[in-house]
C-alpha cells in the first residue's frame, strides 16, 4: 500500500460521491444496469429500495424499466451476498460475489440450519437437510420454475415444521422451505425470478440457475473474487477507512488485508485526522477531488433516497455526510430510513402517507432554493410511484412520524 501526503476533505468526498453515485443531475442516466454498476450493487432487502434507488438516479426511468432489466434483459440478478444481505447486482459481477460472499455463506447456512433441525428432534440432521436440498433441486429442475409452495407439494419434507428453540417460550414451529431455498440460492444453484404480485412484492418464483444464466455461474478463485469486489467498492466509495470496507463486505480483517495487499492502493488523509484508502490510479484526483464531482462550480442538487439506499449504506462511518441526524433517521438495528439530501449531505427525511402523498422534513435550515429543489424531487418520486404505496420494511422515528 502506498502512503501519500495527499488529503481529501469531506466536501471533496461528497462531490466525488455525487458524480460516481449518479446523484448529481448531470450524472443521472436511464440505464438501469449502469446505475447498479455505479454503486457496485443495489440493496434489495426491501424490494422497493431497488426501484426507488434507480428513480433517484435516473431522468425518466419507470418501474417497468427496472423490471425489464431484472426479468427480461436479465442484466441484473437478485442474490444474497455481503453481510447475508439481499442485493440486486450486475450479472457480470455475479461470479465474484458468488465466490467471495455467497459460497462461504452457503456453508454457514448449511451448518446453522442443520443445528436447528437437530435441536428440533430430527436425527442425523446434516444428512437429512442435504438430502432435502437435493430433492428440492430435482423438483425445481423438473418444473423449470416454481414457488416454494409448489415445490412443497412435490417434496413433502419441505413442509416439515421445526421447533427452533425447544422448551423456550419464544420458540415457534418454523417450516424448512425457506431454509432450503435460501441455501440453494447461496450455493448458486437456483435464482429468484419475477415476484408474484407487484414490484414491491418479495414472494418470488424460483428458477434453476442454468435457465436464468446459461451455463450457470462461472467458477472464480476466492482471492480473485475478493480483489474484484474490493476494486469496485474502492472505485465507487473510496477514499474510505479500511474498516468501512471490512464492514461493507462482511469479510474478516485477514481477508480484507490480504485483498488490499493484492491491489495498487494509496492512503489518503481524511478530515478529522483519519486515513482512507483508494485505488492508486484514483489518487491523482485527490489534490482537487471536487473535479471528480463536477467541479467547484457544479450546481447543488437534491435527492430523495429510499430506506437502505446503497449510498448511505456504503460506509460504516457516515459523519461526513450525515451530521448528527442519525437518531431520527436510523432504526435500532442500524438500518437507515428514507433520507433527503442537499448537495451531498443528509439534511432531512421523507415518508409516504396512506393517501400516497410524499411529505418531507428538513432537519436543518438549508434555504429556499434547497426547499424548492427538494419539493421538485418529491414530485418526481411521486410520479415514479404512480399510485403505489410503499412502507419501508424497517421503520425509523422520522418516517413513522411523517407517515401517520
Amino acid at each position: 500500500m502506498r502512503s501519500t501526503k495527499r488529503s481529501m476533505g469531506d466536501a471533496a468526498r461528497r462531490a466525488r460521491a455525487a458524480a460516481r453515485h449518479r446523484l448529481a443531475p448531470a450524472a443521472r442516466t436511464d440505464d438501469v444496469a449502469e446505475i447498479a454498476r455505479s454503486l457496485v450493487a443495489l440493496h434489495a432487502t426491501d424490494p422497493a429500495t431497488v426501484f426507488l434507488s434507480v428513480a433517484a438516479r435516473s431522468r425518466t426511468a419507470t418501474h417497468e424499466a427496472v423490471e425489464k432489466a431484472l426479468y427480461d434483459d436479465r442484466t441484473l440478478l437478485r442474490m444474497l451476498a455481503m453481510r447475508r444481505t439481499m442485493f440486486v447486482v450486475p450479472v457480470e459481477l455475479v461470479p465474484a460475489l458468488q465466490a467471495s460472499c455467497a459460497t462461504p455463506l452457503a456453508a454457514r447456512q448449511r451448518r446453522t440450519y442443520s443445528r436447528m433441525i437437530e435441536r428440533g428432534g430430527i436425527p442425523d440432521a446434516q444428512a437429512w437437510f442435504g438430502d432435502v436440498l437435493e430433492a428440492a433441486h430435482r423438483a425445481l429442475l423438473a418444473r423449470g420454475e416454481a414457488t416454494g409452495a409448489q415445490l412443497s407439494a412435490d417434496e413433502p419434507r419441505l413442509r416439515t415444521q421445526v421447533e427452533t428453540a425447544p422448551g423456550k417460550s419464544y420458540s415457534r414451529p418454523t417450516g424448512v422451505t425457506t431454509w432450503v431455498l435460501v441455501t440453494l440460492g447461496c450455493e448458486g444453484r437456483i435464482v429468484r425470478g419475477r415476484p408474484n404480485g407487484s414490484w414491491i412484492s418479495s414472494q418470488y418464483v424460483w428458477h434453476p440457475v442454468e435457465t436464468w444464466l446459461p451455463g450457470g455461474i462461472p467458477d472464480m478463485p476466492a482471492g480473485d473474487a475478493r480483489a474484484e469486489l474490493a476494486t469496485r467498492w474502492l472505485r465507487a466509495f473510496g477514499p474510505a477507512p479500511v474498516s468501512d470496507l471490512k464492514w461493507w463486505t462482511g469479510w474478516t480483517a485477514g481477508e480484507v488485508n490480504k485483498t488490499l495487499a493484492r491491489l495498487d492502493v494509496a492512503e489518503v488523509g481524511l478530515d478529522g485526522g483519519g486515513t482512507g484508502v483508494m485505488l492508486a490510479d484514483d489518487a491523482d484526483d485527490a489534490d482537487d477531488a471536487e473535479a471528480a464531482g463536477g467541479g467547484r462550480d457544479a450546481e447543488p442538487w437534491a435527492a430523495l433516497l429510499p430506506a437502505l439506499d446503497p449510498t448511505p449504506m456504503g460506509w460504516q462511518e457516515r459523519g461526513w455526510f450525515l451530521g448528527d441526524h442519525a437518531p431520527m433517521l436510523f432504526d435500532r438495528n442500524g438500518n437507515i430510513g428514507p433520507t433527503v439530501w442537499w448537495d451531498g449531505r443528509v439534511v432531512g427525511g421523507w415518508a409516504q402517507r396512506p393517501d400516497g402523498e410524499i411529505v418531507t422534513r428538513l432537519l436543518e435550515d438549508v434555504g429556499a432554493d434547497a426547499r424548492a429543489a427538494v419539493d421538485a424531487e418529491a414530485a418526481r418520486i411521486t410520479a415514479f410511484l404512480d399510485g403505489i404505496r410503499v412502507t419501508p420494511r424497517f421503520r425509523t422515528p422520522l418516517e413513522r412520524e411523517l407517515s401517520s
Side-chain angles (χ1 to χ4, degrees):
M1 184 182 298
R2 304 183 193 179
S3 295
T4 175
K5 294 183 179 179
R6 292 186 176 94
S7 63
M8 186 179 293
D10 292 347
R13 292 178 75 190
R14 292 193 292 264
R16 190 181 186 89
R20 300 202 176 191
H21 293 196
R22 300 189 176 275
L23 291 168
R28 293 176 184 173
T29 178
D30 288 337
D31 187 330
V32 176
E34 191 58 34
I35 289 172
R37 293 186 190 101
S38 300
L39 295 153
V40 185
L42 300 174
H43 272 257
T45 301
D46 189 333
T49 297
V50 174
F51 292 80
L52 291 172
S53 292
V54 169
R57 296 168 172 86
S58 68
R59 298 187 177 97
T60 61
T62 62
H63 67 82
E64 290 91 351
V66 183
E67 291 178 300
K68 183 173 185 291
L70 276 166
Y71 311 124
D72 298 328
D73 299 340
R74 299 182 182 180
T75 55
L76 298 174
L77 181 74
R78 183 177 275 104
M79 65 184 296
L80 282 177
M82 294 74 72
R83 308 186 312 281
R84 199 185 178 277
T85 299
M86 188 74 72
F87 290 91
V88 162
V89 306
V91 290
E92 69 271 15
L93 188 56
V94 170
L97 288 173
Q98 182 65 45
S100 66
C101 300
T103 295
L105 173 59
R108 293 196 297 272
Q109 296 295 95
R110 279 198 178 231
R111 292 193 297 269
T112 297
Y113 292 142
S114 293
R115 287 195 297 268
M116 295 170 72
I117 290 166
E118 187 172 41
R119 287 200 302 267
I122 296 177
D124 200 5
Q126 186 173 350
W128 184 91
F129 187 55
D131 194 42
V132 175
L133 287 169
E134 298 306 318
H137 189 230
R138 288 193 299 270
L140 183 59
L141 288 171
R143 280 183 175 266
E145 62 177 56
T147 64
Q150 289 170 329
L151 292 176
S152 294
D154 296 341
E155 172 47 61
R157 287 175 295 179
L158 289 174
R159 298 195 292 273
T160 302
Q161 296 286 308
V162 174
E163 284 282 354
T164 56
K168 303 293 185 180
S169 60
Y170 55 80
S171 182
R172 297 289 184 274
T174 302
V176 302
T177 300
T178 298
W179 299 351
V180 169
L181 295 176
V182 165
T183 303
L184 288 172
C186 288
E187 292 178 347
R189 300 165 71 185
I190 67 176
V191 298
R192 297 162 182 82
R194 191 182 294 272
N196 283 326
S198 74
W199 53 269
I200 63 174
S201 170
S202 58
Q203 300 297 317
Y204 300 104
V205 175
W206 293 85
H207 299 254
V209 66
E210 295 82 6
T211 65
W212 203 260
L213 298 174
I217 300 174
D219 291 332
M220 190 173 188
D224 293 348
R226 285 192 288 269
E228 179 174 347
L229 183 57
T231 296
R232 292 196 181 218
W233 183 85
L234 288 167
R235 189 78 65 187
F237 294 93
V242 172
S243 57
D244 282 0
L245 175 60
K246 178 180 180 297
W247 173 82
W248 186 83
T249 57
W251 298 337
T252 66
E255 289 170 336
V256 170
N257 291 335
K258 287 180 181 178
T259 300
L260 290 176
R262 296 178 53 148
L263 304 179
D264 189 9
V265 298
E267 292 184 327
V268 177
L270 303 177
D271 277 359
T275 299
V277 293
M278 63 191 305
L279 295 172
D281 63 5
D282 252 1
D284 292 338
D285 294 331
D287 289 326
D288 186 15
E290 284 176 295
R296 295 179 185 272
D297 298 325
E299 291 293 323
W301 52 272
L304 269 63
L305 300 188
L308 297 177
D309 183 86
T311 291
M313 292 300 292
W315 298 276
Q316 184 179 36
E317 169 48 53
R318 306 179 177 98
W320 55 280
F321 62 83
L322 181 63
D324 59 0
H325 301 316
M328 293 293 287
L329 298 173
F330 281 77
D331 72 4
R332 294 179 180 178
N333 296 314
N335 300 304
I336 196 167
T339 49
V340 173
W341 292 64
W342 176 245
D343 207 21
R345 295 188 304 111
V346 175
V347 297
W350 65 277
Q352 191 181 25
R353 287 180 172 155
D355 63 1
E357 179 189 6
I358 287 181
V359 290
T360 64
R361 179 179 297 170
L362 298 180
L363 299 175
E364 57 186 86
D365 183 5
V366 289
D369 289 345
R371 175 77 264 181
V374 168
D375 289 344
E377 284 298 296
R380 212 168 62 83
I381 300 303
T382 298
F384 178 90
L385 288 168
D386 193 24
I388 292 290
R389 175 77 173 90
V390 173
T391 301
R393 192 163 288 187
F394 304 103
R395 311 291 301 276
T396 58
L398 184 57
E399 189 276 327
R400 286 182 182 276
E401 183 179 337
L402 291 176
S403 63
S404 60

